[in-house]
Amino acid sequence: MSDNLRSLSITLVAEPKQVRGFNLTQWRIADLALGGEGDNVLNLQLYMTERAAYRFNLTSATPRLFVRAGFTGQTPKPDAITASQDVAAGWLDGEQQVLEAPMPMAIQIWLESYLARHGEAPPERRKKKHKGAGRGKETPTKEQPQ
C-alpha cells in the first residue's frame, strides 16, 4: 500500500426530514471503515500541497473527513474523499454535495505519520514591497508638467 493512499468504505443513509411543511431527504454517512469492501469505496489520497490543511483538521476538536457526493439536490453518489477542509470548500463552491464524518483514529494516526515523514508545510512568507509599490503612477498635470 502506498504511503499516501488508503481505501475507505462508505455507507450512506437517507433520513426523512420535515421543514416548514415540506418533506425532505437528508443524507448522511452512517459508516466509514478502512478497506475496500462495500458499495462505495473511495481512495483517500494525501497531497504534499495540502499539509497545512491536514494539520489544521487534525488539531480541531473533532477531525473530519469530507466526501464529495455529486451535485446538490441529487441522490448522492460518493466519488471523492479528502481530509482537507480547503478542498471540501472548493467542492461546495462548485455546488457539489459534501458529506462529512468523524475521522477514524486509524486515519488520524496515518495522517500524523505522513506529516511526520514529509514535514509540516512551510509557513507562507510575505513578499517585501519594492519602493513605490502599490502607488499609482504619477501622471503629469497642467500645473506640474513633466
Side-chain angles (χ1 to χ4, degrees), residues 32-107:
L32 186 82
L34 291 169
E37 296 180 17
D39 293 336
N40 300 303
V41 176
L42 299 175
N43 289 320
L44 174 60
Q45 185 165 2
L46 302 179
Y47 297 94
M48 297 285 282
T49 56
E50 295 295 324
R51 290 175 293 173
Y54 300 149
R55 173 59 61 208
F56 181 77
N57 192 355
L58 283 174
T59 58
S60 69
T62 53
R64 322 279 298 157
L65 289 176
F66 306 94
V67 175
R68 182 178 67 196
F71 287 100
T72 304
Q74 297 177 347
T75 301
K77 288 199 170 286
D79 64 358
I81 188 167
T82 185
S84 168
Q85 292 170 317
D86 297 344
V87 171
W91 292 341
L92 285 170
D93 288 344
E95 298 185 10
Q96 299 283 318
Q97 288 185 75
V98 176
L99 306 173
E100 58 181 72
M103 187 183 298
M105 186 55 71
I107 296 296

Side-chain angles (χ1 to χ4, degrees), residues 1-20:
M1 171 119 348
S2 173
D3 135 281
N4 69 335
L5 190 69
R6 291 291 183 270
S7 293
L8 294 162
S9 174
I10 298 158
T11 304
L12 301 179
V13 294
E15 295 178 337
K17 297 271 182 178
Q18 191 166 19
V19 178
R20 295 184 180 159

